[in-house]
Amino acid sequence: MRRAGEQIGENGWHDSTKPSDSPGRAGAVMSVSLRELVEETEFKLRVLHAADDSALERAVVWAHSSDLVDPTPWLEAGQLLLTDGMQFAVPEAPEMAEAPGPGAAVDAPAAGSRSPVSRSPVSATATVRFQSLASEGVFDAYVARLRAADVAALGFATEVIHAEVPADLVSACRRHGLTLVEVTERTPFIGIIRYLADQRALEQRARLEWSLQAQRKLARAALRPGGLGAILVELERQLESWVALYDSTGLRVDAPTRIRVPESEAPEVERMVQSLLARGGRSGARLHGDGGDVTLQTVGQHGQLRGVLAVGGRAPLDLAGNDLVASAIGHASIALEQNRELDAARGHLRVGLLELLLAGEMEVARRTAETVWGELPAAPVRVVQARGGEPGQALLDRLERLAGSGSEPLFFAAREQELIAIVPAGGGATLVEALADAGFSAGASAPGDWAELPRLLAEARKAAERSTPSRPSVWFEDLATTGMLGALEAADGRVTARRVLQPLLEHGEQGRLLLDTLAAWTEGNCAWDPVAKSLGIHRHTLRSRVTAAEQLLGIDLQTFAGRAEVWSAMRLLDEA
């Protein structure tokens, strides 16, 4: 599926193709087919050539009359061009010939004739003499221009300038595949144009009545229980198109709609949803491909997007359809804001339950959680602490869906700019994935019972402190199984390490320089010449820096014990 007109204007789009059967979608403004026009006996139309089997089923968007040799600058695709053929007759002289007497016969040229003199049947009181008809090349070029402009058909009036449709014109239409209709018995062009205008007015009135009815039904749907889902179902019913709502994380919101998003279109739709959400402002897009046309529009205010509404069908939405989508977005925004208030209340309840769990009030917390969300994870459990700042609403929405999906038991709470989750001892993979997608790292405690929750939370915090963007998840057991440093980490040795290195940490840029020098020196096995060379300094400069660090730290760096203490402290604080 390819994009078309990615940014949406307030007035929607215009398309000149025939509308689909769906009442909410349309390409052309009106739907009078060429066949209907020909079968209207009032106009005395006769088909001389149909471009193909479906030519007469094509919608005629408008009728335009012109005797110009090149009328295409004033034509649109799908129009019926009406002409009396004046542009194909070469006049003998600019002035009018003498009018024939009463009852005088009027000569009419044979179709395609090349007679030196022909007489027009335009009027019974005045005639124009013509030397000849246009050449075959003129007819061919004329038809080629009309075909390139995608004219629906050419209507040629006879008994006005020409007694018959010129044979060369018929041949050119057959050659280029242009539908040709003869307008007989001097049918007024204005009658055809007025007929199409009346049909347009009738359809516009019908569309207006449909739009008002659909708007009322949509408003009633918004008042039903589960208003958001009811809005989507009613929009799908009115447009007879698939409808999908994506939340602020780009995931589809479950709704009881009938028509599924086509598998061939889903990846591109989801990609565009993410693109619109990433912009952060109100915007829209349109996707068009072999599978049909998709309209996407953000839901929510600038900087507070609640999601994206996508509507797909065989043809683009017309103005009435776009208005209905805009109305649905308004109702959905209200419903989402109401849901947001409920989410905030549930968030406060989650924090309260976490406090009860930490205080050991298991029974009260368990009964409350089961009433609102379902069963808490069964012991043994892990506590997971997220690291990366205050969790946004998009992440909380995703965790809410994970907790409600039933795929893996999960309880979480966001308090004081920290996110704490509790999962089964063998679980947590989907939680960690959701945190990583949102830019958070995490630390998980060792398995334990609910009664050990305060200790498990402390372990999770220690593990989270060791997490980094390159190591987004750290399990507490991993800290305890990585040698002495792991054991020190598990025992919160970082506090002691910071105390050891504090004199350098408080010494500004000079202290930073000395720490970097010590890190390189200890990693280089305290060899003076190779380390000095790697740092690009003289070995005496290296010795001077190590001595300065030794004095500030108060540790003898000439001994193995002193060097080991400083090296361990730097490793624990990631200063090495």
Side-chain angles (χ1 to χ4, degrees):
M1 177 167 281
R2 59 183 176 84
R3 280 175 287 177
E6 182 171 313
Q7 199 66 27
I8 289 178
E10 294 181 357
N11 295 326
W13 306 274
H14 173 75
D15 189 278
S16 60
T17 59
K18 183 178 179 180
S20 69
D21 295 333
S22 172
R25 287 186 172 268
V29 176
M30 59 185 184
S31 56
V32 177
S33 70
L34 189 58
R35 182 182 299 280
E36 291 173 309
L37 203 58
V38 169
E39 292 176 351
E40 186 64 40
T41 58
E42 174 188 355
F43 300 134
K44 308 296 188 299
L45 304 179
R46 184 164 65 97
V47 179
L48 298 183
H49 171 68
D52 52 46
D53 294 340
S54 62
L56 298 185
E57 310 307 326
R58 184 173 184 181
V60 179
V61 301
W62 193 244
H64 180 79
S65 63
S66 174
D67 292 336
L68 294 175
V69 175
D70 183 11
T72 54
W74 294 272
L75 297 178
E76 293 181 359
Q79 287 188 345
L80 168 65
L81 176 63
L82 300 171
T83 183
D84 57 18
M86 176 66 79
Q87 65 271 40
F88 301 126
V90 181
E92 180 180 282
E95 68 276 0
M96 297 293 290
E98 180 182 353
V106 178
D107 296 332
S113 68
R114 294 289 182 271
S115 58
V117 178
S118 61
R119 191 177 297 275
S120 167
V122 174
S123 170
T125 60
T127 60
V128 178
R129 287 183 174 274
F130 299 101
Q131 292 178 341
S132 66
L133 294 179
S135 66
E136 182 179 358
V138 171
F139 285 113
D140 192 83
Y142 177 78
V143 174
R145 285 192 290 269
L146 299 186
R147 188 69 182 86
D150 197 22
V151 170
L154 172 64
F156 194 95
T158 55
E159 303 179 33
V160 180
I161 302 297
H162 302 268
E164 297 179 352
V165 178
D168 286 341
L169 179 61
V170 178
S171 299
C173 288
R174 286 176 178 153
R175 238 182 346 264
H176 292 283
L178 178 65
T179 300
L180 177 62
V181 177
E182 181 183 0
V183 185
T184 65
E185 300 185 22
R186 296 191 181 184
T187 296
F189 289 169
I190 190 62
I192 298 174
I193 296 172
R194 184 183 295 115
Y195 174 80
L196 294 176
D198 291 343
Q199 293 301 313
R200 171 179 290 199
L202 288 174
E203 181 155 338
Q204 287 178 336
R205 179 177 177 180
R207 294 295 296 154
L208 177 60
E209 291 177 354
W210 171 85
S211 180
L212 293 175
Q213 289 288 343
Q215 297 277 1
R216 283 194 286 267
K217 291 178 180 179
L218 204 62
R220 285 196 295 268
L223 299 176
R224 297 173 195 157
L228 184 58
I231 290 168
L232 299 179
V233 169
E234 188 61 40
L235 184 62
E236 177 192 64
R237 181 182 297 115
Q238 292 299 321
L239 296 180
E240 294 185 4
S241 304
W242 63 259
V243 174
L245 179 65
Y246 297 83
D247 64 17
S248 56
T249 67
L251 297 178
R252 185 173 178 181
V253 176
D254 290 333
T257 51
R258 297 178 297 105
I259 308 175
R260 299 177 60 85
V261 180
E263 293 183 3
S264 60
E265 300 177 16
E268 182 67 11
V269 171
E270 292 170 2
R271 190 200 64 76
M272 182 54 66
V273 166
Q274 294 290 353
S275 176
L276 293 176
L277 291 173
R279 298 175 190 175
R282 298 179 62 183
S283 60
R286 174 183 164 191
L287 301 174
H288 182 72
D290 296 337
D293 195 275
V294 181
T295 300
L296 301 99
Q297 184 67 49
T298 57
V299 180
Q301 301 299 317
H302 182 83
Q304 295 181 336
L305 296 183
R306 303 304 189 199
V308 175
L309 179 66
V311 179
R314 296 189 301 274
L317 290 172
D318 68 352
L319 184 58
N322 275 319
D323 287 344
L324 189 62
V325 170
S327 179
I329 289 173
H331 290 303
S333 297
I334 295 174
L336 288 171
E337 287 300 329
Q338 292 172 339
N339 290 347
R340 188 67 69 219
E341 293 178 3
L342 292 175
D343 289 341
R346 282 194 290 263
H348 293 311
L349 179 57
R350 286 185 177 278
V351 173
L353 290 182
L354 179 63
E355 297 293 346
L356 288 175
L357 291 171
L358 291 171
E361 299 291 341
M362 276 296 303
E363 285 307 312
V364 176
R366 189 184 301 277
R367 286 198 302 270
T368 304
E370 289 177 355
T371 300
V372 181
W373 295 288
E375 294 185 1
L376 292 172
V381 296
R382 291 182 186 271
V383 175
V384 179
Q385 168 78 49
R387 182 185 184 190
E390 183 176 1
Q393 191 60 50
L395 174 59
L396 297 179
D397 288 344
R398 183 170 179 180
L399 296 184
E400 198 72 58
R401 283 196 308 277
L402 286 176
S405 66
S407 59
E408 179 179 280
L410 166 67
F411 177 81
F412 70 93
R415 64 169 192 177
E416 299 176 358
Q417 296 189 346
E418 69 174 356
L419 179 62
I420 300 167
I422 302 172
V423 297
T430 54
L431 169 65
V432 170
E433 180 183 356
L435 293 175
D437 290 344
F440 286 76
S441 57
S445 70
D449 194 71
W450 281 98
E452 304 174 280
L453 205 58
R455 178 181 64 81
L456 298 181
L457 178 56
E459 291 179 357
R461 284 174 173 162
K462 292 177 183 179
E465 290 176 356
R466 295 294 293 174
S467 66
T468 63
S470 59
R471 190 186 181 191
S473 60
V474 177
W475 260 235
F476 187 77
E477 300 98 306
D478 295 340
L479 298 180
T481 57
T482 53
M484 287 300 297
L485 287 178
L488 290 173
E489 176 67 30
D492 210 6
R494 298 185 72 211
V495 175
T496 302
R498 180 169 292 277
R499 187 179 299 116
V500 169
L501 300 177
Q502 195 67 29
L504 296 183
L505 296 175
E506 294 178 346
H507 217 65
E509 293 184 5
Q510 181 64 25
R512 179 72 259 179
L513 176 63
L514 296 179
L515 273 174
D516 292 341
T517 302
L518 284 180
W521 184 58
T522 53
E523 290 296 328
N525 296 319
C526 303
W528 299 105
D529 288 343
V531 173
K533 185 177 181 181
S534 67
L535 293 175
I537 59 177
H538 196 275
R539 66 177 181 277
H540 294 314
T541 303
L542 175 60
R543 286 181 179 276
S544 176
R545 291 182 184 178
V546 171
T547 300
E550 185 179 47
Q551 293 173 351
L552 287 172
L553 293 172
I555 298 176
D556 186 1
L557 295 180
Q558 304 307 312
T559 65
F560 173 80
R563 294 174 181 178
E565 182 177 359
V566 170
W567 177 82
S568 300
M570 288 190 295
R571 290 299 298 270
L572 284 170
L573 288 182
D574 286 336
E575 296 294 346

